[in-house]
Amino acid sequence: MVLILGGLSFLAVLFEYSRRNWSAIETLFEKYFNFMMRQNEFEGTITGATWLLFGSTLTILLFPIHIAVPALLFLTVGDTFAAIVGKSIPIGKIGEKSLSGTFAGIVTSSGVALMINQIIPSEIIIFGAVVAMVVEILPIPMNDNLTIPLAGGLTMHYGMMTL
């Protein structure tokens, strides 16, 4: 899996470089992916998809599978539900994000991770989800597609070490 994600990450970097340096690639990119891009990605920052690949690759590389899978669920499920709920029911705004979204991210990602978990104690998964979603809401300059799974994974890793 690391080789596949590493290869995809490498291709994503090539694509990012190409869209910045060749107008034909940029035009194609905007034609097919325009609807998914945020304003800062139009202005030249690395796309969320590239950060997602990096975050996934590093998470799988750094952590054993029983930690990597829930950490990636914090990203894929938690971040998604945080965005959906935060935009539709924006309670407790913090910048562009909301506490209602953070709470939804914690509940959904920890719930899904608990359903598939067979090794990690429940309280460690829940704490990992809380840390991951706190990292998501904080105004950290690093893309949350990288920070969410790494923060959640580190939290669970250290939690397992204390047992």
Side-chain angles (χ1 to χ4, degrees), residues 20-21 27 38-39 60 85-86 88 95 97 106 115 118 121 129 141 148:
R20 286 196 180 116
N21 291 296
T27 302
R38 295 182 174 173
Q39 185 59 39
I60 291 172
V85 172
S88 57
K97 300 183 179 186
I106 292 167
M115 282 192 272
Q118 296 177 353
I148 289 171

Side-chain angles (χ1 to χ4, degrees), residues 47-141:
T47 62
T50 299
W51 284 114
L52 179 90
L53 286 166
F54 280 141
S56 299
T57 302
L58 283 174
T59 301
I60 291 172
L61 184 65
L62 294 174
F63 303 112
I65 192 75
H66 66 276
I67 290 176
V69 169
L72 291 172
L73 289 171
F74 300 158
L75 173 62
T76 57
V77 174
D79 193 33
T80 301
F81 275 88
I84 292 169
V85 172
K87 288 183 194 288
S88 57
I89 311 168
I91 299 169
K93 293 286 279 181
I94 297 177
E96 295 292 315
K97 300 183 179 186
S98 70
L99 293 174
S100 57
T102 299
F103 182 72
I106 292 167
V107 170
T108 57
S109 65
S110 60
V112 170
L114 288 168
M115 282 192 272
I116 61 136
N117 174 56
Q118 296 177 353
I119 297 173
I120 303 171
S122 299
E123 59 272 11
I124 291 176
I125 286 181
I126 294 167
F127 190 54
V130 168
V131 169
M133 291 298 102
V134 166
V135 164
E136 189 270 340
I137 198 170
L138 291 175
I140 298 171

Side-chain angles (χ1 to χ4, degrees), residues 136-159:
E136 189 270 340
I137 198 170
L138 291 175
I140 298 171
M142 180 98 25
N143 189 287
D144 65 6
N145 288 337
L146 179 66
T147 58
I148 289 171
L150 294 179
L154 281 171
T155 300
M156 291 184 292
H157 178 74
Y158 287 116

